[in-house]
Amino acid sequence: MSNTLASVQETLRQRARTLLEDGTITYLIGWEAGRFEGQTTPLILRKAADVDRLIYNEFCVHILAKYPLSDKNIEGTIGVVVRGCDSRGINLALKDGQIKRDKLYLIGIPCEGMKDARTGQELKKCLQCTHRNPVVYDELIGDAVEDGAKVDRFAEVAQLESLSVDERYDYWAAIFSRCIRCKACRDTCPSCTCRECFTDQAAMGWQGKETSLAENQNYGITRMFHIGERCIECGECERVCPVRLPLMQLNRKIIKDAYELFGEFYAGIDDCTPHPLDHYLLDDVEEFM
Amino acid sequence: MILKKEKLGSLLDMLAGTATVLVPTAFNAEGGSEGGEKATGFLPYQAGSAVDLGTVKTTRSPKDALLPQTETLYSYEQRGEDVTLTETVNNTNQILFGVRSCDAYSIACLDEVFLTRTFVDTLYYERRLGTLIVGLGCTATERSCFCTSFELDPAVAPGVDIQLTDAGDGYFAEALTTKGTEALDAWKPFLTEGTKPTPAELEFTFKLDTAKLGEQLKTMFEDPYWQDLSMKCLGCGTCAFVCPSCYCFDMSQNNKGSEGYRFRTWDSCTFVDYSMMAGFHNPRPTKMKRLRNRFMHKLCFYQERYGNSLCCGCGRCIELCPVGIDISRVIEDVERVVAHD
């Protein structure tokens, strides 16, 4: 079976129709076309009759992993189209006990990378993707593709590490001075699943509402540490940022440090392996104690 | 009178000596995280600034100039039994240069909110009074531009003091207010004689019928349409923060010992804590209720109070919504949903 996008879309529509008609799923989370060429938007497909709205092309840039979490007490089953990134997000949610596996029906699609409709170029997050094939699914459409990042995903971090402390401070100060605190990075992040985010706990005052460099940095750094090595590297935080901040450089720094201290680790490739920082071993590095 | 494009730099140099000149500029000239993708906004002009009058819509609107994202309201200090309150006074003296019709219309909306109907917001009033607005007629459109759907004229920005119209190698400058006439006097050394060109015929990707929109929306408050639309909403504040006319704000304070200051910040009706009340009651506890309110306010409630739409058709939220929620499609859907009911 060939993996042309058109054939994948055709099969996906057929399967969606069947699954909705036979009651396997209550609705399917996929994508539909936007107004403009190459523009797509997530779709909640409820009726088999609307199945032609469902699309799959090289511009399906949004991660879908977080959507089922807003309906975790559903009586039926949520169908979700998953690629590598989506499936890792789902695994993370399963591991965290955010949703039960039997509430989900996962249609996997091996993904060769998505493109920015404006530039026609493959997205940076996709070039840096290590797991293109879904790591959890109920059925798979298309043949497996070759896994592995197309670029060195730690190159930017290595470059930043070569700078002096002052240079690094200036670099991040310039970036966070542009943050508008829309919180889109948090809201799209499959690792951010707290029922109540620290930034919204106004009475506690963890996070002030001023858009000042200090508050913006507090937001960015605290978020980075909260996610830690749980980042599934979907790169959505960077894609959604309206002012184009290179936020993945922060997450990758943590991942790189975690690799160096605890060995190679990929969050969300299954729903059971403990994460480096959610348990301890007697021979753990503890250079600060 | 014509301002030759080669004189633009000298004019801005001169103006920058008299006021803060906010002009469309790329604020990450090196490109963004995806490489080459620039974000633009109205930044203070300095000699050598990368002025960008060609970009149809800046990433960040000029709203900040009149309603900053963070603004101190007053500061306080207690010493023994004495309490000192220090009010903020805005001695604004700024020129907003190159404002398009959509953004000028939005400023007119802010004026209605902050300056009319019994309450005058002092801080806004001071900024507004100290601001000269120079409009710039559009010679091109972007795919998501739909200002004509709200009866805006992309060639003439409503309420501006001076209007610029592209005339090939220059801009035709005309004063539209008394303030503009006085200001234009100082521009004379940089102007040459010339006649007003006919504004460019612009092509828009789409135009919507918005005549009955407010009335139609009133009938579909309880429609299940909002449920599926809001399911894909992330609940972030991108739409409100890039919107030139969203004006909601929240107030907080930073307190250190016996002194501190109270300030306001932009807020977004899509945020969970936006409608949180004392005692932690939230009248809009779901994403559906929050997103519905956003569209109802933009396209219905504001109109009920002020007579016009709070959407100017700039399309920024369409371009920047992380999940592609498109207000222009919502407007089309309203027609369809109401027809089916």
Side-chain angles (χ1 to χ4, degrees):
Chain A
M1 183 179 165
S2 73
N3 279 9
T4 65
L5 294 165
S7 72
V8 169
Q9 175 175 292
E10 188 47 43
T11 313
L12 179 61
R13 284 179 179 175
Q14 285 167 12
R15 290 300 300 147
R17 179 186 298 280
T18 308
L19 294 165
L20 284 167
E21 279 173 351
D22 69 15
T24 308
I25 58 175
T26 312
Y27 58 84
L28 178 71
I29 306 174
W31 300 269
E32 69 177 320
R35 179 185 288 280
F36 310 113
E37 197 183 341
Q39 190 197 24
T40 60
T41 178
L43 168 70
I44 314 295
L45 181 70
R46 291 183 189 274
K47 293 183 199 145
D50 290 339
V51 82
D52 286 344
R53 285 172 66 185
L54 189 62
I55 61 159
Y56 187 75
N57 61 29
E58 68 265 52
F59 304 119
C60 295
V61 296
H62 321 87
I63 194 163
L64 304 179
K66 209 169 171 182
Y67 286 121
L69 306 188
S70 63
D71 200 7
K72 59 180 87 174
N73 297 320
I74 187 173
E75 302 255 327
T77 306
I78 306 169
V80 192
V81 182
V82 294
R83 303 150 301 178
C85 53
D86 307 292
S87 67
R88 288 176 69 184
I90 295 283
N91 266 340
L92 192 71
L94 292 171
K95 178 176 182 295
D96 290 350
Q98 290 288 333
I99 195 162
K100 293 205 163 61
R101 182 66 178 88
D102 61 10
K103 299 278 187 197
L104 301 170
Y105 186 92
L106 307 174
I107 303 178
I109 300 177
C111 167
E112 295 193 83
M114 292 294 157
K115 289 178 182 161
D116 181 332
R118 280 299 183 83
T119 61
Q121 302 292 310
E122 187 168 344
L123 290 170
K124 190 172 100 181
K125 66 170 187 167
C126 298
L127 290 167
Q128 295 175 331
C129 171
T130 52
H131 292 73
R132 295 163 188 284
N133 295 294
V135 290
V136 58
Y137 53 85
D138 292 293
E139 62 176 271
L140 195 65
I141 298 177
D143 297 327
V145 297
E146 196 179 335
D147 270 330
K150 295 176 190 169
V151 295
D152 174 6
R153 65 197 217 281
F154 293 116
E156 290 168 36
V157 176
Q159 208 268 323
L160 289 173
E161 284 172 342
S162 73
L163 301 177
S164 71
V165 172
D166 285 346
E167 286 170 329
R168 284 205 298 267
Y169 183 84
D170 291 345
Y171 176 80
W172 288 109
I175 285 170
F176 277 104
S177 66
R178 301 209 310 263
C179 172
I180 61 170
R181 299 267 294 286
C182 64
K183 304 186 200 174
C185 48
R186 173 200 69 180
D187 293 319
T188 196
C189 177
S191 302
C192 273
T193 50
C194 288
R195 194 172 297 170
E196 190 179 28
C197 177
F198 77 98
T199 67
D200 295 332
Q201 292 178 323
M204 299 302 293
W206 308 120
Q207 173 71 63
K209 278 207 154 191
E210 270 184 308
T211 40
S212 60
L213 179 58
E215 295 287 8
N216 295 357
Q217 285 174 322
N218 181 63
Y219 170 73
I221 292 171
T222 312
R223 221 183 74 76
M224 172 185 89
F225 280 112
H226 277 195
I227 295 164
E229 91 296 9
R230 301 170 68 254
C231 172
I232 61 156
E233 300 184 65
C234 65
E236 274 287 89
C237 48
E238 243 180 57
R239 183 192 68 78
V240 301
C241 179
V243 287
R244 311 288 172 214
L245 308 185
L247 301 169
M248 274 306 287
Q249 291 172 356
L250 288 173
N251 297 329
R252 282 245 160 67
K253 169 63 180 160
I254 298 258
I255 293 165
K256 184 163 179 283
D257 285 356
Y259 272 25
E260 286 162 9
L261 292 166
F262 306 105
E264 200 167 322
F265 169 79
Y266 296 93
I269 53 168
D270 61 46
D271 62 2
C272 54
T273 306
H275 291 192
L277 299 183
D278 67 5
H279 66 294
Y280 70 91
L281 300 171
L282 290 175
D283 59 352
D284 274 350
V285 182
E286 44 184 351
E287 58 194 16
F288 52 87
M289 293 183 82
Chain B
M1 300 291 276
I2 299 270
L3 169 70
K4 293 276 183 209
K5 286 183 180 170
E6 72 227 25
K7 294 275 173 117
L8 177 67
S10 336
L11 173 72
L12 292 172
D13 284 336
M14 184 279 285
L15 293 175
T18 65
T20 304
V21 184
L22 297 163
V23 62
T25 312
F27 49 66
N28 55 340
E30 79 283 4
S33 60
E34 293 290 342
E37 206 168 349
K38 283 188 295 190
T40 47
F42 285 76
L43 299 188
Y45 174 83
Q46 300 163 334
S49 284
V51 175
D52 179 8
L53 289 180
T55 293
V56 176
K57 55 189 161 218
T58 49
T59 320
R60 294 196 62 165
S61 82
K63 176 170 72 177
D64 303 61
L66 296 165
L67 184 67
Q69 188 163 5
T70 297
E71 179 170 43
T72 300
L73 303 169
Y74 60 87
S75 54
Y76 53 86
E77 189 182 358
Q78 186 184 11
R79 293 228 181 264
E81 302 214 330
D82 294 330
V83 177
T84 323
L85 289 179
T86 313
E87 253 184 286
T88 303
V89 178
N90 288 325
N91 294 310
T92 307
N93 176 21
Q94 64 185 5
I95 301 171
L96 264 176
F97 197 97
V99 176
R100 307 298 180 119
S101 295
C102 49
D103 290 343
Y105 173 89
S106 300
I107 292 171
C109 291
L110 299 183
D111 287 351
E112 287 289 332
V113 172
F114 289 107
L115 304 177
T116 71
R117 316 291 164 110
T118 73
F119 184 75
V120 173
D121 183 293
T122 316
L123 293 174
Y124 182 88
Y125 175 72
E126 289 165 354
R127 285 185 193 275
R128 187 67 180 88
L129 204 64
T131 304
L132 179 88
I133 305 179
V134 180
L136 175 61
C138 291
T139 49
T141 58
E142 285 187 14
R143 62 180 189 175
S144 54
C145 289
F146 66 114
C147 69
T148 51
S149 300
F150 295 104
E151 309 304 326
L152 269 69
D153 179 353
V156 183
V160 299
D161 300 300
I162 296 172
Q163 175 71 45
L164 301 179
T165 307
D166 199 292
D169 61 350
Y171 300 102
F172 181 80
E174 63 188 316
L176 301 181
T177 63
T178 321
K179 198 162 146 185
T181 310
E182 286 166 17
L184 204 54
D185 246 8
W187 292 28
K188 278 207 174 124
F190 306 94
L191 303 180
T192 46
E193 284 301 323
T195 50
K196 187 177 180 179
T198 317
E201 280 286 323
L202 296 179
E203 276 190 30
F204 287 83
T205 349
F206 60 97
K207 184 170 192 267
L208 308 171
D209 178 7
T210 60
K212 293 190 215 113
L213 192 55
E215 290 304 313
Q216 288 169 327
L217 274 164
K218 268 188 229 172
T219 67
M220 57 177 279
F221 194 73
E222 302 291 349
D223 198 281
Y225 171 76
W226 303 112
Q227 189 58 47
D228 278 3
L229 183 72
S230 65
M231 255 190 93
K232 64 180 179 181
C233 173
L234 297 176
C236 75
T238 303
C239 48
F241 287 2
V242 300
C243 177
S245 63
C246 270
Y247 54 78
C248 286
F249 61 83
D250 187 23
M251 290 188 282
S252 337
Q253 56 283 318
N254 275 342
N255 192 66
K256 267 185 196 161
S258 57
E259 59 179 62
Y261 56 96
R262 197 151 164 77
F263 59 91
R264 66 176 165 196
T265 53
W266 291 353
D267 206 347
S268 168
C269 52
T270 48
F271 285 158
V272 177
D273 59 345
Y274 173 87
S275 46
M276 190 72 81
M277 311 237 171
F280 301 101
H281 172 64
N282 196 340
R284 290 192 205 119
T286 61
K287 210 157 56 172
M288 185 280 276
K289 292 187 174 180
R290 295 190 285 270
L291 190 68
R292 177 179 66 187
N293 181 73
R294 173 169 179 77
F295 289 115
M296 292 299 287
H297 184 207
K298 280 267 158 223
L299 306 169
C300 176
F301 300 154
Y302 183 92
Q303 188 179 35
E304 283 183 78
R305 186 167 165 81
Y306 298 104
N308 55 315
S309 158
L310 188 58
C311 175
C312 63
C314 74
R316 283 186 180 90
C317 57
I318 302 177
E319 295 290 354
L320 291 167
C321 172
V323 293
I325 292 177
D326 178 339
I327 191 170
S328 73
R329 288 199 127 191
V330 172
I331 293 170
E332 286 174 339
D333 288 345
V334 168
E335 186 84 31
R336 189 175 49 77
V337 169
V338 172
H340 278 266
D341 283 347

